[in-house]
Amino acid sequence: MKKLGSATDPLWYKDAIIYELHVRAFADSNGDGIGDFPGLLTRLDYLQDLGVTCIWLLPFYPSPLRDDGYDIANYVDVNPSYGTLNDFKAFLDAAHQRNMQVLIELVINHTSDEHPWFKAARIAPPGSPAREMYVWSQTKLLYKDAGIIFTDTETSNWTWDETAKAYYWHRFFSHQPDLNFDSPEVMEEVLKAMRFWLDMGVDALRMDAIPYLVERDGTSCENLPETHLVVKKIRAAIDAEYGNRFILAEANETPADVRPYFGDGDECHMAFHFPLMPRIYMALRQEDRRPIIDIMAETPAIPDNCQWGLFLRNHDELTLALVSEDERDYMHIAYSNDPRMRVNGGIRRRLAPLVDNNRRRIELLNSLLLSFPGTPILYYGDEVGMGDNIYLGDRNSVRTPMQWNSDRNAGFSKCDPARLYLPIIMDPIYGYQTINVEAQQSDQSSLLHWTRNMIALRKLFQVFGRGTLHFLNPANRKILAYLRDLDHGDGSHETVLCVANLSRFAQPVSLDLADHNGAEPVEMVGYVPFPIITDAPYVLTLAPYSFLWLELQPSHENPAS
Amino acid sequence: MATTDSVFESSSPSVRPGTELLVLLAAMTPEQREQILANLATSFPADGLVIASPDELPTDSEAPFRMIAAPASETSWTLTAADFINAYQLAEKNEARAILMLSRESGSLGPSALRDLANAVLAGSTDLAVPCYDLPPRTGLVNSAIFYPLGRALFASPVRFPLAVDLGLSLRMAERLATAAHRLTALNQAETPLWPVNEATVAGFAIGQFDVGLRTLPQPGGPDLNTILPLLTGSLFSDIEAKAAFWQRSRQLPPAEKNRPMSPASPPEAATDIAPMLQAFRLAYTNLNEIWSLVLPPNSLVGLKRLSTSDAAAFHMPEGLWARIVFDFVLAYRLRTINRGHLLGSLIPLYLAWVASHVNVTASGVDPASHIETVAAAFEADKTYLVSRWRWPDRFNP
Amino acid sequence: MQPMFAVLLQSAPNQASRPLSADNGSIWHHMADALYQSLDRILSLLIAVLPGILAFIVALAVFTLIGMVVSSLLRRGLTVARFDEHLARSRGGLDWAPSTSPTAVIARVTFWASVLLGLVLGVSAFDASYSTATTLPSSLLPYLTRLVGAAVLLVAGTLIARFLARSVLIGAVNEQLQYARFLSLGIKWLVLVLTAAMVLDHLQMGGNIVGLAFGILFGGIVLTLALAVGLGSRDLVSRSLESHAEQSGERGVAPAASSTSGSAESIRHF
């Protein structure tokens, strides 16, 4: 008997709105300056009101916190700073009661060097099962074709361990040794940890750093066939014992390289679409739809039960690993002129500062996020337009406390401000006195209200999460126009025409909609009928950075659509 | 600025019949002057002409023309505000109907050229007669790179050499130019050049362009490119800023005039080595990039970065890139993004990079004149960029 | 109050022969006496100081008012006399925004100068009326003005250093000097070091040490620059010598000084 998750539809992730947050950044209940689960519990109403349906929690496991929780020291417990296991269970139940699902991290590529497994592996004799849980070598020559990911801090993927008298392999920080997936023990432990959380009722798992699971000499150690076997095994275990869950792959690769992570519907259910994200910013700045069209053309079709995960920003830097040299230069000059804004080759800024805090640009980008094929993932704080602090180290610039109100510590915590895990943003433009949830809740014209309404609008139409995508090709390259269509299977179609103006000036556009001759476009936000489509080119005028969502309905005069 | 009449004048009546053309000559060598006087003699009747020259006049009375003295001008290689004021005052004083201003080395202009220029303004059909020189390739590059394309794009003026050193002016044109010059003189900028073509276009006067054949252009003797280019571009940019209301509307270029004969295709000279120019550009790129990044948008900076890494054979500055660079500098001049002197100083390496690219292009067989036309067309095509950014300065642009 | 205490004091010795309880009483009287004396001192100090404070406030207020009147009169007068335009004509180019036009600047400066004057006079009035102590204010005041002067110097010096550095950078790059950035940094630090030395000297801090250090630093920078220029600009010097020689020869035939002056074929920019 399979243990079902709290969602009822096996494909619920196609209609989900995911909200990414870090427990320690959201709300502090016990005044120690670090957010925790009881605090998060008190804010669930806000999230429910916002309309999100799935909460993605960054790692909250016991950890020395040298990589903000991604270096895990125990897979089946909760970091005491964030609360206890019972606190997490309470939060989970409360979320389920509000019809929200919870997505947590399964960071199986590496652990912290303070994990008991690693401590045992260090002193275990070479060749023993305990030792073989990690990847050891006497020389640094093994796997030398693999690149370094954290270029700003690491110089090699091997680090010498004095106790073990050997080098251990780590694709990320040197204090995060990689697990060895050739060892059956590792697989067993991973599945044990996974089952622990799924049994508790967690609805989804994000597989962090999934391309790097398995290493083989002479390769780049990414996306190897053996890695896919591991993923298949994990998926098989989930499918055998659990229902209505999903796994989300974090694979920062080209679309062609990500496609295998869906398998034939037997690997991950969802994967992030990393290459699309920088191209959205490029298209906006260059006022040209070409970057977006090109990358979507390169995106292969995926199995029917699989889904792309779309996002504008996340907890990491805006990665530029998958764009060309010229494009990277352009993005650096255009969006991160100050070298402090760059880390590991990417840009560590939030959405609002990237677009110069221009409300229209923010809205335009969000409209793309919500209308492109895939599940949208919102980063906490971007719904109120939070800013960043580039003077904090690593990627902490985008992980500052959530700004709830203009009280002390932005309402995040009642502690002494010096105790906060990171300082609050307090500059005149993005500071918590101006940008906070309370102020925006009472302001009907705020970005928060806008986001809430747009999310609600999107939830009314399944076509956005489940439909097909077809780009129109108008002559004006500053206009991005595309059709979303969903065949309900009973002959009826849900069709939406989305038109977005990427330019800061008003633009005319003439669309070829002859295929939909006779349909009546109805603007979705205001339910305003537009002129009926004919064989002639359909002319629209768009204000700067504006967008239109037009639902194509069969017109009353002409029932045939 | 007082003029002194020479002794010749006392013998002539004050009112003259026929053409009343004042010819204002710049300071030049006696041989040059003889050449010009000879050319003038073959083109015009003697009694309708007044020659003004700042040089010491010969005491012999063989010259058939009435000669008067003109104040000397400090800048001898181009026409400055002071020159226009002098011209107008002399014309008024001597009741001339038209003025012909000739610069140094104008002895190389043939009599027919002088006749064309003068007759056009005398007949009243043209207010401003501008010569179109037949220059050898690789001369007059500043005109080709900056002044001509800007004039064509903004003022729809087909004049190939806006900074012409010889001009024919009608009296009202001269009056207008003198008024503009007075404004500059009041600000102590008497030695900056004026832009007669722009003035004429704004005033709606008729402009005529005439082929005058080969001419050796006078070279600035003292200061070099680094001082002169900022002076010229600065004065042009100020002029553009002052006339902003005029060029914001799109204008049609007058129908293309007949193809002017190119200078006989000289066999491409020994390929100029542009390696030193490239080195200079790379040096400028490493040092001035942060100044350029205050003025230029990301696309242009990426283009410049690509240029800085290309080798001599592949060095080519796209026409669109050059057009954008000039437009962005015009905008930065107006917005005072950085100190204006610094701004124009940092334009010089970019201009030299364009010259290197032009040399490369022409060395590969492309006709220089047609390349210049391509450049000017790129400026015209991108005019919307300048107008939109002029009206709405914003730094979030491609 | 005084007579009462005097009576108490006078009555004290009468009880000297009394038993221990009477001693307590005299101790109490001594304490009271000491308290009275210190209280008296404070009160008399306050009373002495009060007119001084009042004088200070009055002086400041009066001069602020005078400043306001004078500055508004000046502003009106200069506007009528078109002071800005006259200045523009002689300097060439109206380079300022209306809020920072010379008229406004002068008016503002006048106002604040008068306030400052009021402050100074007020302090000296305070000092004059407060005759009993050698107070800090009188020696602090000139130091304060020096501080202000030093701050102004510092700001001006930094601005000039930055402007000069950029000018030198652009000029050097246009002359194709390889060490352009080095030169510009050198000039900037030269000006900054000079400014710092002037500021310290103005504040009379450090004395001879500052002068010595400045001399060494300045001399060192100049020497480094001279070496760099001398070693690095041989071609520049030779080029400029060539062009000078040509200029002194024929006028008007010198080729435009571009980087191709060495190559056989000349590029004419004009």
Side-chain angles (χ1 to χ4, degrees):
Chain A
M1 176 62 195
K2 279 205 234 179
K3 301 191 195 110
L4 291 178
S6 65
T8 47
D9 180 1
L11 293 179
W12 61 273
Y13 48 89
K14 290 203 172 210
D15 305 319
I17 312 273
I18 303 182
Y19 187 87
E20 175 188 357
L21 66 88
H22 198 357
V23 184
R24 78 163 182 175
F26 215 60
D28 176 25
S29 65
N30 61 352
D32 64 348
I34 305 173
D36 43 45
F37 279 107
L40 173 56
L41 192 60
T42 63
R43 298 296 185 183
L44 273 180
D45 288 329
Y46 162 74
L47 291 175
Q48 185 183 25
D49 187 51
L50 182 60
V52 299
T53 60
C54 177
I55 303 174
W56 163 17
L57 299 173
L58 294 179
F60 50 83
Y61 314 104
S63 155
L65 292 180
R66 292 172 71 190
D67 186 16
D68 202 12
Y70 278 94
D71 49 336
I72 296 176
N74 181 350
Y75 279 101
V76 292
D77 199 0
V78 172
N79 188 329
S81 315
Y82 306 149
T84 63
L85 214 47
N86 286 332
D87 291 331
F88 175 77
K89 277 195 202 127
F91 155 74
L92 191 62
D93 292 335
H96 287 162
Q97 262 169 20
R98 290 171 173 72
N99 265 333
M100 290 193 275
Q101 280 71 50
V102 174
L103 161 68
I104 67 171
E105 298 258 4
L106 193 62
V107 185
I108 56 176
N109 179 57
H110 47 263
T111 70
S112 164
D113 57 1
E114 301 205 6
H115 198 294
W117 297 344
F118 189 69
K119 290 188 184 158
R122 266 186 166 140
I123 51 181
S128 62
R131 177 81 161 200
E132 287 305 306
M133 288 194 77
Y134 292 87
V135 182
W136 300 95
S137 162
Q138 287 304 318
T139 68
K140 290 168 90 163
L141 299 172
L142 205 51
Y143 313 139
K144 58 181 173 348
D145 295 325
I148 300 178
I149 298 171
F150 284 158
T151 49
D152 281 3
T153 27
E154 303 296 330
T155 49
S156 166
N157 288 325
W158 291 106
T159 298
W160 177 258
D161 187 73
E162 215 22 73
T163 328
K165 294 274 185 294
Y167 289 101
Y168 62 86
W169 177 251
H170 58 89
R171 283 315 290 275
F172 294 92
F173 286 121
S174 58
H175 52 80
Q176 290 171 317
D178 272 25
L179 285 169
N180 177 15
F181 275 88
D182 293 324
S183 149
E185 269 76 30
V186 166
M187 203 59 221
E188 216 180 278
E189 289 291 344
V190 159
L191 289 177
K192 229 198 299 186
M194 190 190 76
R195 288 195 186 101
F196 176 82
W197 295 106
L198 289 176
D199 285 340
M200 208 187 295
V202 162
D203 303 280
L205 301 167
R206 172 182 176 272
M207 317 279 288
D208 181 71
I210 202 175
Y212 314 107
L213 291 183
V214 177
E215 301 73 39
R216 290 284 178 265
D217 200 18
T219 67
S220 67
C221 299
E222 288 178 38
N223 309 321
L224 297 176
E226 293 87 343
T227 308
H228 289 285
L229 286 177
V230 170
V231 179
K232 281 199 216 285
K233 240 189 272 186
I234 296 178
R235 170 70 182 266
I238 295 180
D239 280 348
E241 305 165 40
Y242 305 96
N244 298 351
R245 318 288 174 120
F246 77 85
I247 41 180
L248 165 60
E250 188 228 7
N252 189 0
E253 309 284 342
T254 61
D257 280 336
V258 175
R259 171 66 185 85
Y261 285 99
F262 296 109
D264 290 319
D266 61 347
E267 286 189 41
C268 298
H269 304 77
M270 271 180 70
F272 290 108
H273 199 315
F274 272 98
L276 173 62
M277 186 255 314
R279 287 185 175 76
I280 290 181
Y281 291 96
M282 228 186 307
L284 176 70
R285 185 73 187 238
Q286 291 184 329
E287 302 191 358
D288 184 355
R289 62 170 188 255
R290 168 112 282 136
I292 299 180
I293 305 282
D294 285 348
I295 195 63
M296 293 310 285
E298 276 175 38
T299 304
I302 53 180
D304 284 338
N305 63 340
C306 294
Q307 178 75 315
W308 287 108
L310 307 174
F311 59 103
L312 292 174
R313 284 299 290 118
N314 60 13
H315 59 285
D316 281 331
E317 73 276 14
L318 198 169
T319 173
L320 296 174
L322 299 171
V323 299
S324 71
E325 188 74 42
D326 271 347
E327 288 168 335
R328 196 171 310 141
D329 285 334
Y330 181 83
M331 286 293 283
H332 276 313
I333 296 173
Y335 285 108
S336 61
N337 225 348
D338 184 343
R340 281 210 72 101
M341 296 174 185
R342 302 180 205 165
V343 72
N344 296 334
I347 305 173
R348 52 177 175 183
R349 303 186 70 194
R350 269 190 185 257
L351 173 62
L354 277 170
V355 294
D356 283 351
N357 205 22
N358 184 312
R359 170 78 179 262
R360 283 197 194 155
R361 287 184 202 129
I362 297 177
E363 291 181 4
L364 175 68
L365 292 186
N366 273 311
S367 83
L368 294 182
L369 175 70
L370 293 171
S371 62
F372 258 47
T375 300
I377 305 170
L378 297 152
Y379 187 51
Y380 83 94
D382 280 351
E383 73 272 18
V384 292
M386 256 175 79
D388 53 35
N389 182 349
I390 58 175
Y391 299 97
L392 298 172
D394 198 25
R395 290 149 288 170
N396 287 331
S397 52
V398 303
R399 300 178 185 183
T400 53
M402 180 72 179
Q403 289 160 212
W404 294 104
N405 52 42
S406 50
D407 294 343
R408 169 181 52 169
N409 299 331
F412 162 77
S413 163
K414 290 210 181 338
C415 70
D416 177 358
R419 252 188 113 169
L420 291 172
Y421 74 97
L422 279 179
I424 308 255
I425 309 279
M426 52 182 99
D427 62 84
I429 305 175
Y430 302 105
Y432 67 94
Q433 298 93 334
T434 25
I435 306 282
N436 62 67
V437 167
E438 188 182 53
Q440 297 210 2
Q441 273 172 338
S442 41
D443 175 11
Q444 289 294 321
S445 314
S446 64
L447 183 61
L448 178 60
H449 273 277
W450 183 90
T451 311
R452 207 184 56 158
N453 295 341
M454 288 301 285
I455 290 177
L457 180 61
R458 183 201 148 104
K459 289 207 287 203
L460 288 175
F461 296 88
Q462 273 201 325
V463 64
F464 289 116
R466 304 192 183 220
T468 61
L469 171 73
H470 168 69
F471 282 112
L472 297 172
N473 212 5
N476 187 345
R477 279 178 46 164
K478 298 180 196 282
I479 300 289
L480 177 67
Y482 47 103
L483 278 165
R484 304 297 316 278
D485 183 86
L486 179 64
D487 185 352
H488 285 295
D490 56 359
S492 68
H493 277 252
E494 223 174 80
T495 315
V496 176
L497 166 66
C498 300
V499 189
N501 178 5
L502 298 169
S503 157
R504 62 212 143 109
F505 306 121
Q507 299 288 336
V509 68
S510 168
L511 299 170
D512 175 15
L513 294 171
D515 289 341
H516 298 271
N517 186 5
E520 183 184 29
V522 175
E523 200 276 321
M524 285 167 79
V525 177
Y527 208 69
V528 177
F530 269 46
I532 296 183
I533 298 175
T534 62
D535 273 330
Y538 197 76
V539 177
L540 285 172
T541 334
L542 287 154
Y545 296 130
S546 75
F547 63 92
L548 284 173
W549 287 358
L550 300 162
E551 190 195 359
L552 301 185
Q553 292 176 354
S555 82
H556 300 295
E557 293 111 46
N558 193 354
S561 63
Chain B
M1 291 230 231
T3 62
T4 51
D5 289 352
S6 88
V7 69
F8 297 103
E9 203 170 280
S10 54
S11 56
S12 330
S14 49
V15 179
R16 265 158 241 330
T19 63
E20 287 114 5
L21 181 69
L22 170 72
V23 179
L24 181 62
L25 301 176
M28 56 182 71
T29 60
E31 303 86 46
Q32 286 283 320
R33 197 169 56 246
E34 288 309 311
Q35 175 73 37
I36 293 175
L37 292 179
N39 287 341
L40 286 171
T42 57
S43 327
F44 299 102
D47 53 353
L49 221 50
V50 172
I51 315 271
S53 167
D55 294 322
E56 265 303 310
L57 298 168
T59 45
D60 58 40
S61 50
E62 280 172 24
F65 306 112
R66 199 168 61 105
M67 308 271 290
I68 56 174
S73 164
E74 285 168 33
T75 315
S76 55
W77 58 275
T78 190
L79 297 170
T80 62
D83 294 326
F84 289 105
I85 294 180
N86 293 343
Y88 181 62
Q89 285 180 336
L90 285 173
E92 261 199 322
K93 190 170 164 93
N94 293 286
E95 288 161 12
R97 272 199 301 125
I99 307 174
L100 189 64
M101 298 175 78
L102 298 174
S103 191
R104 269 188 329 188
E105 319 237 356
S106 38
S108 44
L109 286 174
S112 58
L114 297 173
R115 208 177 15 245
D116 283 337
L117 287 176
N119 285 342
V121 288
L122 280 171
S125 60
T126 323
D127 289 294
L128 179 69
V130 189
C132 179
Y133 305 115
D134 232 345
L135 294 178
R138 301 184 190 164
T139 41
L141 286 175
V142 175
N143 256 314
S144 314
I146 303 180
F147 304 150
Y148 168 54
L150 268 181
R152 193 168 126 169
L154 296 181
F155 295 96
S157 125
V159 171
R160 179 70 180 78
F161 293 93
L163 198 62
V165 292
D166 313 302
L167 289 173
L169 307 169
S170 74
L171 199 60
R172 64 175 184 165
M173 184 78 234
E175 180 179 5
R176 192 179 167 98
L177 286 173
T179 325
H182 269 298
R183 244 181 278 136
L184 282 179
T185 321
L187 294 173
N188 259 0
Q189 290 172 358
E191 294 310 318
T192 51
L194 268 188
W195 301 90
V197 177
N198 298 355
E199 290 290 339
T201 320
V202 170
F205 293 164
I207 306 178
Q209 193 174 193
F210 301 93
D211 289 321
V212 297
L214 269 172
R215 187 218 204 278
T216 45
L217 290 176
Q219 296 299 312
D224 64 350
L225 181 71
N226 294 341
T227 339
I228 296 186
L229 191 61
L231 179 70
L232 292 178
T233 44
S235 102
L236 177 60
F237 291 173
S238 301
D239 200 48
I240 289 178
E241 184 179 0
K243 299 179 165 60
F246 176 81
W247 55 260
Q248 296 267 317
R249 281 139 198 77
S250 70
R251 314 231 164 234
Q252 284 301 339
L253 207 55
E257 306 176 7
K258 62 167 169 51
N259 281 339
R260 42 196 97 263
M262 320 289 186
S263 55
S266 43
E269 298 144 27
T272 314
D273 181 23
I274 61 169
M277 286 198 251
L278 254 64
Q279 217 180 2
F281 175 65
R282 279 189 204 116
L283 172 71
Y285 182 78
T286 38
N287 283 316
L288 296 182
N289 197 30
E290 34 197 32
I291 299 182
W292 291 339
S293 66
L294 295 171
V295 172
L296 299 175
N299 255 341
S300 303
L301 292 170
V302 171
L304 286 176
K305 178 167 181 183
R306 237 180 265 145
L307 263 185
S308 74
T309 51
S310 7
D311 56 359
F315 194 83
H316 173 61
M317 183 185 281
E319 283 74 33
L321 175 63
W322 175 241
R324 285 271 163 115
I325 289 176
V326 174
F327 283 150
D328 281 312
F329 270 78
V330 171
L331 281 160
Y333 188 86
R334 174 200 173 211
L335 294 173
R336 294 185 158 86
T337 313
I338 61 177
N339 175 281
R340 282 178 167 182
H342 293 165
L343 179 74
L344 297 173
S346 58
L347 178 60
I348 298 176
L350 294 169
Y351 162 71
L352 290 175
W354 181 88
V355 168
S357 168
H358 178 68
V359 164
N360 237 4
V361 165
T362 52
S364 67
V366 175
D367 178 38
S370 62
H371 182 233
I372 307 290
E373 292 301 314
T374 322
V375 172
F379 272 70
E380 274 183 327
D382 235 355
K383 183 178 175 181
T384 42
Y385 173 76
L386 178 66
V387 174
S388 67
R389 277 208 69 201
W390 189 278
R391 296 179 180 184
W392 199 270
D394 177 21
R395 290 208 46 90
F396 196 89
N397 44 26
Chain C
M1 200 124 104
Q2 211 161 346
M4 196 165 61
F5 275 98
V7 161
L8 274 168
L9 285 169
Q10 278 169 12
S11 56
N14 292 341
Q15 309 183 0
S17 52
R18 289 231 228 113
L20 225 56
S21 57
D23 277 341
N24 284 343
S26 73
I27 290 172
W28 163 248
H29 284 309
H30 279 303
M31 278 170 54
D33 186 22
L35 277 171
Y36 156 69
Q37 278 179 351
S38 47
L39 197 62
D40 179 44
R41 252 209 298 279
I42 293 169
L43 282 175
S44 56
L45 209 70
L46 197 64
I47 291 168
V49 150
L50 213 56
I53 293 178
L54 268 171
F56 173 78
I57 292 173
V58 164
L60 192 61
V62 163
F63 270 87
T64 310
L65 277 168
I66 292 179
M68 284 186 345
V69 167
V70 168
S71 86
S72 73
L73 278 176
L74 249 181
R75 193 193 300 264
R76 229 170 282 165
L78 286 176
T79 320
V80 165
R82 296 183 194 275
F83 179 66
D84 292 334
E85 285 153 35
H86 283 289
L87 211 61
R89 224 167 287 157
S90 68
R91 272 204 342 169
L94 289 109
D95 246 310
W96 44 71
S99 64
T100 56
S101 64
T103 310
V105 168
I106 288 179
R108 233 176 271 155
V109 164
T110 326
F111 171 68
W112 285 108
S114 134
V115 167
L116 209 61
L117 189 64
L119 207 65
V120 167
L121 283 175
V123 170
S124 57
F126 174 78
D127 192 36
S129 65
Y130 181 48
S131 49
T132 48
T134 55
T135 58
L136 213 45
S138 58
S139 64
L140 192 59
L141 196 64
Y143 200 72
L144 275 174
T145 52
R146 274 174 193 275
L147 273 178
V148 168
V152 169
L153 256 179
L154 199 61
V155 167
T158 321
L159 290 174
I160 292 176
R162 272 201 221 130
F163 184 83
L164 268 181
R166 201 178 255 183
S167 308
V168 164
L169 180 68
I170 294 182
V173 164
N174 282 334
E175 293 297 332
Q176 284 133 45
L177 300 174
Q178 284 299 327
Y179 47 85
R181 182 167 291 278
F182 184 67
L183 202 61
S184 114
L185 267 179
I187 296 284
K188 178 167 133 184
W189 280 105
L190 219 52
V191 175
L192 284 176
V193 162
L194 185 64
T195 310
M198 281 171 67
V199 163
L200 286 176
D201 186 55
H202 189 65
L203 290 175
Q204 290 172 345
M205 275 194 218
N208 283 335
I209 297 175
V210 168
L212 201 63
F214 164 71
I216 293 173
L217 211 55
F218 200 82
I221 295 179
V222 167
L223 183 65
T224 319
L225 282 179
L227 274 175
V229 169
L231 291 174
S233 68
R234 284 166 303 203
D235 50 338
L236 169 70
V237 169
S238 59
R239 249 192 287 138
S240 94
L241 283 175
E242 273 171 27
S243 64
H244 273 293
E246 281 163 12
Q247 273 174 40
S248 56
E250 298 188 51
R251 252 204 86 152
V253 204
S258 74
S259 56
T260 58
S261 55
S263 69
E265 190 259 340
S266 72
I267 291 184
R268 302 271 185 108
H269 295 284
F270 301 107

